[in-house]
């Protein structure tokens, strides 16, 4: 099962479904649990708080960083593919619906 911090709410729902975990049956408790997940997904816990300049495309620094992270980028792209593929089995209803809509738009 693949998950992403930048898509945390969907990821948490997939983990819950995968493990057979359920929200509380009490409406108030359920709402609190759902709000907690939403709050966590909106608060960037892994964000760099320090300001830094992003190297300009074409610069030596950009080329070096791109070269050093080329396999990270490929792995991330592959993980995204798996994440989308897993939507069919583990995704939320909303994500499944959006994926169907996207496929219909692309004609496939």
């Amino acid at each position: 099962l693949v998950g992403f911090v930048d898509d945390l709410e969907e990821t948490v729902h997939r983990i819950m479904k995968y493990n057979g975990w359920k929200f509380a049956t009490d409406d108030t408790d359920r709402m609190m649990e759902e709000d907690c997940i939403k709050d966590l997904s909106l608060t960037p816990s892994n964000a760099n708080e320090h300001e830094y300049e992003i190297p300009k495309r074409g610069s030596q620094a950009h080329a070096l960083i791109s070269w050093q992270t080329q396999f990270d980028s490929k792995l991330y792209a592959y993980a995204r593919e798996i994440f989308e593929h897993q939507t069919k089995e583990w995704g939320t209803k909303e994500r499944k619906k959006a994926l169907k809509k996207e496929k219909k738009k692309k004609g496939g």
Side-chain angles (χ1 to χ4, degrees), residues 13-86:
H13 284 281
R14 289 178 185 211
I15 291 169
M16 289 178 69
K17 190 173 183 180
Y18 180 83
N19 288 299
W21 300 337
K22 305 279 185 211
F23 284 110
T25 53
D26 177 72
D27 287 343
T28 304
D29 289 342
R30 180 187 177 97
M31 195 167 59
M32 287 172 54
E33 292 169 353
E34 289 174 342
D35 287 347
C36 180
I37 292 169
K38 269 193 175 78
D39 290 345
L40 284 171
S41 69
L42 296 173
T43 307
S45 61
N46 67 336
N48 186 347
E49 296 175 6
H50 303 286
E51 291 290 323
Y52 58 91
E53 188 178 327
I54 298 175
K56 295 198 184 334
R57 186 171 278 245
S59 70
Q60 186 178 3
H62 185 273
L64 182 60
I65 291 170
S66 295
W67 180 79
Q68 288 177 331
T69 60
Q70 64 183 314
F71 297 111
D72 298 324
S73 298
K74 289 177 183 181
L75 180 60
Y76 182 83
Y78 180 61
R80 272 284 168 202
E81 285 179 31
I82 292 171
F83 189 75
E84 291 307 316
H85 181 73
Q86 289 176 344

